[in-house]
Amino acid sequence: MAKDAGILIQNVMELLEKEPDGLEFAEIVEQLSRVQDVGSERGVRNLLNRLAKEGKLIRRKGWSTKPGAQPYIYCHPKTQPRQLEIPGIKEYRIYTKTEFEIGELNQEERQQQQKAVSVLESIASGHLHQEFYARAIIEAAPKLAAENPVELVVGMARWVVDDLNTLATEIERKLKRGAVDESKKMAVKLDSQLGWAKRYFQEFWKLYDRVEELPGILELPSQAKRFRLYGETAKLDEKKAREQLKKRIFGDRLIQEQLLPTDLHKSAAGTDASVADLFLEHTAGSFIPPDPVIVPCSAAALVTNSKNGFPDEYQDFDIFPDKLREYDDHTAAVNGLVLSATLARNFVEESNLQHTRKAAMDLRQYLQDFRIATKQADWRPMGDSPELGTKNRPKLIMRDGRIFPLVHRLRDYETGGLYGQIVRSEIEIFQQVFHNTLLGSGLDTVYGAAVKNPGMSWLAPLVFWYLYSNQSPVDGRVAVSNAEEVYQYPFADTAVSHLLFLGVAKNASNFSPERLFITCRVLRRFSDIALEGEEMSPIISQGDEIRRVRENNLKDWKEFIEQHIAKKRKHYQLNNLDIDDYESFIYLCSKVGVSMCYAAPTSAYEFLSRNSSVSAHFLLPRLEVAINMERLGSDREHEQECLDGLLSWLAAGHIELDRSHTQSGFDTGNPEHSLPILVPDVIVRAHEAATFTRDKLGEEVQDKIRALIAELRKRLEKGTLRR
């Protein structure tokens, strides 16, 4: 029996070591049963609890939106970040921003990233000859790099229109021949491809559809059946498409090499955020499992170029227990300071606690950005810094995660209760950060971001369409032979951009940190992601006529929102907000955009371009920089100046391979062939600060957390904070 128990323990430990997110009891029993007889479930549960008590396993409560008690999750200690030991906390779980990003990915994007990791790991293992997709991209890269991106998108849109119309015609032909079942399957396929085309071309590239009598750029039937019942077809106005795309795409090559200045910044700051679920200890004898007290928090890291050649590092945190005393429970939640699960369930109308946590976390990070932009950050030196601190106001701020708010829809902004208040606070402070970085007299701070897990790929579909339309061969075989591989492109931008740069690097001769590979840049407005459904292409009614909103016109956006409010009230959709409450939202729609691209120093590819069989592959984040749309209208160089301000930090050597905290949900667990992501160094430093898992944080932060716990317990005793 002792031998069997030993084997069971060994199997449990090996199983959990492969599961960084841990497993529930039922999942452990199910997987163990496949390899051995586990005996009674009660015996297994007792064994797991004993191992947890002995410290050989970690047992924590999972997160569930289902009714009933939260399930326990069992984890191997090696897979978990080391948490601070703080008296008063029963359990302590930190959710990083990367985890939120991964959770936001739709199934399609998740599968593409999984395939990308699998392909690149195979390359790193020396099996390049088996990977036709990757080889096709690498081999096509030199020619593809020189293509005009506007013409590529127009050509792809033209192909999609022809493909959709051809499929609709084929469905009609099948029906006339009586092949009903086959035509139904084809109609399902047509609906799916229509949905993809709308998301990619209309939502992302803003090749807008027809609205009533206003003609569109790319007009698509709403459903497959409308081709047959109403004689509708897909249509593209190529002239208007080019005009629109020239406003959205910067650069006349898909990929270029650019020499960047390295002396634009003496320092740069990175910011990150996380959410800590604190399970407070109960009094002795209590058997009621506590709901978590949710504490969103953010942190920042400052990297400065010192005279000795080694960068000095500083950190700043936003744990302010003293501020809790200034607020009642509800106001503290609205300001993103602390949130009890019960309070959220009472005040969040759609009971979407996950979105509330996300909005509160984002609010804290924007407040951290604001503190840096307005010189309020309290920078504390790390290590052997020669200074006791610095009052530096860096001219470059980079976020871990995208620039735009995580919760950004107009419908979220208008929601009642606590959730809506947090979202409006998030939007308002984002507007203030933008104003204090890109607007106003003497303000020239570059506001950028590194997005490790982009929610949508814009480069990959274009590349796979190019491979398909050109029938690009690998070893005499067409790599992308099926049109469906364009609609369901195999993997995501984070890998495709890397493969393109690698292909260009194979023909390069000048490798240096100052010279960067850069894709064309793509512009997105805040309004692009804030509006949805029928309002995605905003229009204004003027008497009996309608017209489209002029995107940079503040008065047009105000008029649009006024008509939006009137429409909701006409249909008895209660809305307690008036036009003045939309001030921040209107401001962002008219003035704020981001320019995004993929970039990496050519020096990162020097060795890899000569030997692809080594474990030297990596993924690339999407780089973003905030753009003043009002200024861009008269100064086309504004976008280039902002982007150069961000890329110059990379060119100065401030870039690292982050192996610990990126796309962990897609790693296969093989440390030899792990796939890091290449990010600015301040992003890594900010992530370390925000997770509270490094020795660097020291006693000061622990003291603040203890003070926070003391304040929370005091409120519980007074009954002002609900469990």
Side-chain angles (χ1 to χ4, degrees):
M1 290 297 292
K3 181 180 179 181
D4 292 341
I7 295 174
L8 181 59
I9 292 173
Q10 181 180 350
N11 289 340
V12 168
M13 301 301 287
E14 290 176 354
L15 173 63
L16 293 178
E17 195 169 4
K18 299 175 183 177
E19 299 287 345
D21 294 328
L23 294 173
E24 295 180 18
F25 170 74
E27 294 172 325
I28 294 174
V29 172
E30 178 186 357
Q31 295 196 37
L32 288 177
S33 299
R34 299 172 185 171
V35 296
Q36 73 174 108
D37 181 11
V38 298
S40 70
E41 291 188 0
R42 182 176 181 181
V44 176
R45 190 185 297 275
N46 290 339
L47 175 65
L48 292 173
N49 291 336
R50 177 168 64 84
L51 292 174
K53 187 175 181 180
E54 294 172 355
K56 297 177 181 178
L57 291 181
I58 294 175
R59 189 182 76 158
R60 60 176 175 79
K61 284 197 174 182
W63 184 262
S64 175
T65 58
K66 299 178 181 179
Q70 295 168 329
Y72 277 103
I73 302 293
Y74 295 86
C75 308
H76 195 293
K78 290 183 179 180
T79 66
Q80 301 300 298
R82 180 169 55 82
Q83 307 289 1
L84 301 173
E85 296 294 332
I86 304 174
I89 299 181
K90 182 70 173 177
E91 295 182 51
Y92 183 22
R93 174 74 171 104
I94 292 177
Y95 296 86
T96 66
K97 195 164 187 179
T98 298
E99 290 177 287
F100 277 93
E101 286 180 350
I102 293 174
E104 285 296 294
L105 296 180
N106 58 39
Q107 187 62 28
E108 179 181 296
E109 193 71 22
R110 184 182 297 274
Q111 290 173 352
Q112 288 151 5
Q113 296 214 26
Q114 289 171 333
K115 290 177 183 177
V117 169
S118 176
V119 168
L120 291 181
E121 285 193 336
S122 296
I123 297 174
S125 302
H127 301 305
L128 183 60
H129 64 281
Q130 298 178 4
E131 305 303 333
F132 285 91
Y133 288 142
R135 287 188 60 188
I137 295 173
I138 292 171
E139 292 179 14
K143 184 178 179 181
L144 182 54
E147 294 283 347
N148 185 300
V150 169
E151 293 304 319
L152 283 175
V153 177
V154 171
M156 183 180 177
R158 183 195 311 122
W159 174 84
V160 167
V161 165
D162 292 341
D163 190 61
L164 294 173
N165 288 333
T166 299
L167 182 55
T169 301
E170 182 66 14
I171 292 172
E172 183 67 19
R173 189 176 66 85
K174 293 283 186 184
L175 280 172
K176 289 180 178 179
R177 292 185 177 183
V180 178
D181 290 341
E182 190 173 352
S183 64
K184 284 182 178 179
K185 292 179 182 178
M186 294 174 68
V188 171
K189 175 182 174 182
L190 179 55
D191 269 330
S192 174
Q193 292 178 349
L194 274 171
W196 179 87
K198 290 173 183 176
R199 290 191 301 273
Y200 186 65
F201 290 108
Q202 293 180 343
E203 292 184 23
F204 184 82
W205 292 112
K206 305 310 290 183
L207 303 183
Y208 48 75
D209 205 343
R210 170 180 288 274
V211 179
E212 298 181 22
E213 68 267 24
L214 295 178
I217 298 176
L218 175 63
E219 298 182 5
L220 298 173
S222 59
Q223 293 177 303
K225 64 183 180 182
R226 298 188 70 88
F227 283 88
R228 178 171 180 266
L229 295 178
Y230 301 100
E232 296 180 6
T233 59
K235 300 174 185 177
L236 173 69
D237 187 325
E238 292 191 23
K239 181 181 178 181
K240 288 184 178 180
R242 285 187 179 88
E243 293 173 355
Q244 176 75 339
L245 291 170
K246 286 177 181 178
K247 301 175 186 176
R248 296 277 173 161
I249 297 176
F250 299 90
D252 56 4
R253 290 172 56 94
L254 187 67
I255 299 172
Q256 64 175 341
E257 290 184 44
Q258 184 178 340
L259 188 65
L260 272 298
T262 59
D263 58 352
L264 294 185
H265 303 290
K266 294 181 180 179
S267 62
T271 65
D272 196 4
S274 60
V275 173
D277 287 349
L278 310 180
F279 293 86
L280 305 188
E281 287 183 344
H282 279 302
T283 56
S286 174
F287 60 88
I288 302 174
D291 278 328
V293 175
I294 300 165
V295 183
C297 42
S298 65
L302 178 72
V303 175
T304 65
N305 294 319
S306 63
K307 296 179 180 179
N308 60 16
F310 296 96
D312 295 330
E313 295 181 18
Y314 304 84
Q315 290 184 343
D316 180 46
F317 313 97
D318 76 339
I319 305 175
F320 304 125
D322 52 314
K323 285 192 176 182
L324 285 173
R325 301 184 182 94
E326 302 172 13
Y327 301 125
D328 57 35
D329 193 28
H330 187 88
T331 307
V334 170
N335 284 272
L337 287 167
V338 64
L339 176 69
S340 70
T342 306
L343 180 69
R345 281 195 290 269
N346 287 342
F347 288 93
V348 177
E349 290 184 357
E350 60 269 56
S351 300
N352 195 336
L353 185 58
Q354 185 75 355
H355 276 75
T356 305
R357 295 159 82 239
K358 184 166 57 176
M361 178 188 68
D362 222 25
L363 169 60
R364 298 310 307 169
Q365 189 173 358
Y366 284 128
L367 284 167
Q368 186 70 54
D369 298 341
F370 181 78
R371 279 161 45 79
I372 298 170
T374 55
K375 299 183 180 181
Q376 297 180 47
D378 183 14
W379 297 112
R380 301 86 182 279
M382 306 301 302
D384 298 324
S385 173
E387 302 178 45
L388 294 177
T390 177
K391 296 299 182 182
N392 239 348
R393 179 189 173 219
K395 295 303 178 105
L396 172 61
I397 301 173
M398 275 186 277
R399 292 171 58 83
D400 188 338
R402 70 187 188 191
I403 289 177
F404 286 150
L406 290 174
V407 181
H408 49 264
R409 298 292 190 189
L410 178 57
R411 57 179 162 84
D412 296 308
Y413 189 87
E414 296 175 324
T415 301
L418 177 62
Y419 177 51
Q421 290 176 298
I422 292 177
V423 173
R424 289 190 287 278
S425 296
E426 173 197 26
I427 295 293
E428 181 179 356
I429 193 61
F430 170 56
Q431 178 239 316
Q432 293 179 25
V433 173
F434 180 85
H435 185 83
N436 281 275
T437 52
L438 273 80
L439 296 177
S441 175
L443 298 176
D444 56 354
T445 302
V446 176
Y447 191 35
V451 187
K452 302 170 187 173
N453 298 281
M456 181 175 184
S457 292
W458 59 267
L459 180 63
L462 206 56
V463 170
F464 278 93
W465 168 76
Y466 180 88
L467 296 177
Y468 174 78
S469 61
N470 286 276
Q471 295 292 283
S472 301
V474 176
D475 294 339
R477 192 175 105 191
V478 175
V480 182
S481 58
N482 192 332
E484 291 188 18
E485 292 171 296
V486 177
Y487 297 98
Q488 300 176 3
Y489 44 97
F491 39 81
D493 282 0
T494 50
V496 169
S497 55
H498 166 74
L499 293 170
L500 286 172
F501 292 164
L502 176 57
V504 175
K506 287 182 176 292
N507 294 327
S509 57
N510 189 351
F511 296 95
S512 68
E514 297 86 3
R515 186 176 293 274
L516 269 62
F517 292 128
I518 310 170
T519 66
C520 65
R521 293 98 62 202
V522 177
L523 180 71
R524 290 203 91 185
R525 303 182 66 102
F526 174 78
S527 56
D528 294 348
I529 66 170
L531 304 178
E532 56 188 335
E534 295 179 355
E535 295 179 326
M536 188 173 61
S537 181
I539 60 171
I540 298 174
S541 299
Q542 293 181 327
D544 295 332
E545 297 181 353
I546 61 172
R547 65 174 176 86
R548 297 187 187 276
V549 168
R550 292 170 293 182
E551 293 181 310
N552 290 347
N553 191 297
L554 193 67
K555 291 182 179 179
D556 273 14
W557 281 110
K558 183 176 181 180
E559 190 172 353
F560 167 76
I561 293 296
E562 286 175 336
Q563 294 184 8
H564 164 82
I565 295 172
K567 188 187 301 182
K568 288 179 70 72
R569 291 176 177 170
K570 180 180 179 181
H571 292 88
Y572 302 101
Q573 297 173 348
L574 297 180
N575 185 351
N576 295 323
L577 305 180
D578 58 35
I579 189 63
D580 292 337
D581 296 314
Y582 289 86
E583 182 179 356
S584 295
F585 191 88
I586 293 171
Y587 176 101
L588 295 178
C589 285
S590 65
K591 294 183 184 293
V592 179
V594 299
S595 177
M596 61 182 73
C597 70
Y598 293 87
T602 58
S603 56
Y605 289 90
E606 182 174 7
F607 184 66
L608 184 57
S609 65
R610 298 169 185 160
N611 187 350
S612 294
S613 64
V614 297
S615 301
H617 289 272
F618 49 86
L619 303 173
L620 294 174
R622 186 178 75 204
L623 298 176
E624 296 182 349
V625 64
I627 300 297
N628 179 353
M629 298 303 303
E630 195 173 49
R631 178 178 170 185
L632 185 64
S634 58
D635 180 9
R636 187 74 174 181
E637 295 181 358
H638 167 60
E639 181 270 344
Q640 184 71 59
E641 292 172 358
C642 290
L643 184 68
D644 287 352
L646 185 152
L647 296 179
S648 65
W649 188 254
L650 277 62
H654 292 286
I655 195 162
E656 290 188 20
L657 287 172
D658 185 352
R659 297 181 180 274
S660 302
H661 308 111
T662 58
Q663 298 202 1
S664 57
F666 309 115
D667 287 342
T668 62
N670 187 338
E672 183 181 355
H673 300 141
S674 62
L675 287 170
I677 194 162
L678 196 68
V679 297
D681 55 358
V682 291
I683 296 296
V684 177
R685 303 294 172 265
H687 188 97
E688 291 174 350
T691 54
F692 309 109
T693 59
R694 298 293 187 272
D695 291 337
K696 295 178 183 179
L697 300 183
E699 289 297 322
E700 180 182 2
V701 172
Q702 292 195 44
D703 289 343
K704 287 192 173 185
I705 295 179
R706 290 190 186 100
L708 173 60
I709 297 304
E711 183 66 27
L712 293 175
R713 292 187 65 83
K714 187 185 300 182
R715 291 191 175 197
L716 282 171
E717 292 170 1
K718 292 181 178 179
T720 59
L721 177 67
R722 302 173 180 83
R723 291 189 189 276

